[in-house]
Amino acid sequence: MSVSLHDRYARQRLIPDWDQDLLAASTAVIVGVGALGNEVAKNLALAGVGRLILCDPDTVAASNLSRAVLLGPGDVGQPKVAAAATALARLAPEVTVETRQAELVTGVGLGELADAGVVLGCLDSRRARLRLLGRTALVGAPLVDGGTFAWGGEIRLRVDPTEACYGCSLTPHQRGASDLPWSCAEIRPDGPQPASIVPTSIVAGWMALAALRLLFAGPPEYRMLRIDGATGHTAPVALTRDADCPHHRPLDGPVHPLPVDHRATVGDLLDALPAGAEPFTWAAFPVPGQCHHCGETYDHGAAQPGAQGEPEQPEQPGQQGEPGRCRRCGRAVRVRRGERLRDADPGLRLHGLGVAPGEILAVQLPRPLAASDEEAFQGSFQWHRLASTGDTGRILASQSIFRAL
Ligand SMILES: [Zn+2]
Ligand SMILES: [Zn+2]
């Protein structure tokens, strides 16, 4: 007996406040497709969220399999986002899944975060979570963030960038460079706190419930929830806003649409901007330089990947050298990095330099006549948003533009 697609939601359509059509028109961005991200993606896809953007730079390891509902033994070594998307297509074929095998900053543009109905943070490191807080604050995207510990976990909501956040509960030192898994740092500072599938699925269930409440009925009454499997307590926790927490800053001023997208070249972008404008990226890219041993010039600095975090350059395969090595003399070179797009080869594509789809770029305009230098500096920045493309995720996945960073 065949079952029409509408029938699969017949039961949940009866839920008060539920709106299946609204859900089908919604986008959720899932940042981190490990244990939590798998469960959250499964829940939202089965519920019928129309479009999921999955962002994770990692590949599947055998140790992921005991906690990842969308991954199987045959997926080991494959990108997590691709393996999860394949499983989701089987579970919920009508849901569009876009994959970004990249870190957040190079995988999901600010414009995409701004357009999303909800952003779900499924990350396990403090640095990544703080970066997500900062990115969502820039565009006011509602964030549901989760984490697990051995017998429980926490979820935190930030519906408005002015509300207290995870960063508010950290000391300035903790907000610095540390990259400890967040649950380790908070619960037991002396060692890792592994979790099983059980608290993972419970926390992911709460996260998906919060996301659905946000989409249908407005935000839940709580902003933080602590789930403790030992005491049986699951209760809201009051949060205090730290005025010094830096993860609440919005973009100031209007965002101007650009006629080009992330697949355009640097030259195309410069042509689309006012004359003399200086566009900047959010993630530094390698810029052209010179080997100080033999004088070899790198006209495509990005083709000499050195440190982590550099996107592939599929267009210049012949010019790629060994990471961090001069392609002529083979000695170690220091790859200079920068955010100023005018320093890049104008023929390189923006996505190859780590510019995410739908990104909003900071653009400095030529210095206007102003009363003071400070006034000129402050008044000269604008925000410009790259055009969105219809089927960005699948195109990116098939071209392997992003690799594990
Ligand atoms: Zn904060
Ligand atoms: Zn050299």
Side-chain angles (χ1 to χ4, degrees):
M1 189 182 81
S2 71
V3 177
S4 89
L5 288 180
H6 285 291
D7 288 337
R8 71 183 282 146
Y9 301 122
R11 189 68 66 89
Q12 66 194 33
R13 283 180 198 279
L14 304 175
I15 299 170
D17 294 330
W18 195 274
D19 183 340
Q20 199 65 49
D21 295 335
L22 186 152
L23 212 52
S26 297
T27 295
V29 176
I30 300 177
V31 185
V33 189
L36 262 185
N38 263 251
E39 285 286 325
V40 167
K42 176 262 288 175
N43 289 341
L44 296 183
L46 286 178
V49 172
R51 177 171 171 247
L52 299 178
I53 298 177
L54 307 182
C55 181
D56 194 310
D58 292 334
T59 53
V60 179
S63 62
N64 300 134
L65 299 181
S66 66
R67 291 195 294 157
V69 67
L70 303 174
L71 310 177
D75 298 320
V76 172
Q78 298 299 309
K80 284 180 179 171
V81 289
T86 302
L88 290 169
R90 192 176 60 246
L91 285 178
E94 65 273 48
V95 174
T96 300
V97 180
E98 298 186 13
T99 60
R100 310 288 165 78
Q101 192 192 354
E103 298 285 359
L104 172 67
V105 176
T106 54
V108 184
L110 289 174
E112 293 184 313
L113 292 176
D115 290 347
V118 60
V119 178
L120 295 115
C122 305
L123 299 160
D124 66 357
S125 92
R126 182 187 291 165
R127 185 187 299 169
R129 297 181 81 216
L130 292 176
R131 186 171 284 184
L132 178 59
L133 279 167
R135 295 275 286 173
T136 51
L138 285 170
V139 293
L143 174 66
V144 178
D145 188 41
T148 52
F149 46 87
W151 298 100
E154 289 176 356
I155 80 165
R156 296 176 194 242
L157 279 67
R158 193 176 65 179
V159 180
D160 183 280
T162 59
E163 294 176 350
C165 77
Y166 165 69
C168 292
S169 61
L170 302 178
T171 65
H173 175 72
Q174 287 172 320
R175 288 183 208 128
S178 170
D179 201 23
L180 292 170
W182 73 280
S183 54
C184 314
E186 290 187 342
I187 308 304
R188 205 180 68 180
D190 56 340
Q193 279 269 346
S196 72
I197 180 64
V198 182
T200 301
S201 58
I202 292 171
V203 169
W206 274 106
M207 291 175 71
L209 196 62
L212 293 171
R213 291 288 305 177
L214 262 171
L215 291 172
F216 290 144
E221 289 173 19
Y222 62 88
R223 290 295 180 271
M224 177 175 171
L225 194 70
R226 188 178 283 258
I227 301 148
D228 187 332
T231 63
H233 264 291
T234 294
V237 177
L239 290 171
T240 309
R241 172 84 157 84
D242 178 349
D244 294 329
C245 176
H247 303 287
H248 301 263
R249 292 186 192 123
L251 294 182
D252 50 337
V255 177
H256 306 275
L258 283 165
V260 298
D261 67 22
H262 63 291
R263 295 174 296 190
T265 64
V266 173
D268 294 336
L269 172 68
L270 293 175
D271 287 345
L273 289 168
E278 280 277 12
F280 293 89
T281 59
W282 292 94
F285 57 86
V287 296
Q290 212 171 18
C291 171
H292 65 271
H293 301 291
C294 73
E296 171 80 351
T297 302
Y298 306 129
D299 46 353
H300 295 291
Q304 290 284 325
Q308 275 194 325
E310 285 149 30
E312 261 180 334
Q313 289 297 306
E315 289 140 23
Q316 290 97 22
Q319 297 191 31
Q320 289 203 22
E322 204 183 322
R325 298 262 161 202
C326 171
R327 64 180 161 231
R328 184 158 137 205
C329 73
R331 284 146 105 175
V333 291
R334 190 154 161 244
V335 179
R336 205 161 58 89
R337 302 172 67 83
E339 291 97 17
R340 186 177 175 266
L341 277 166
R342 280 189 185 273
D343 287 339
D345 185 301
L348 291 177
R349 295 190 186 279
L350 296 172
H351 61 63
L353 295 166
V355 176
E359 187 59 285
I360 298 173
L361 298 168
V363 175
Q364 191 176 19
L365 297 179
R367 176 181 292 254
L369 291 173
S372 69
D373 281 356
E374 192 183 350
E375 192 184 327
F377 182 80
Q378 287 174 346
S380 62
F381 270 95
Q382 283 186 348
W383 302 106
H384 287 258
R385 177 181 171 160
L386 294 173
S388 296
T389 43
D391 203 2
T392 307
R394 273 194 281 276
I395 291 165
L396 290 179
S398 66
Q399 293 182 349
S400 298
I401 283 158
F402 298 120
R403 60 170 182 175
L405 297 179

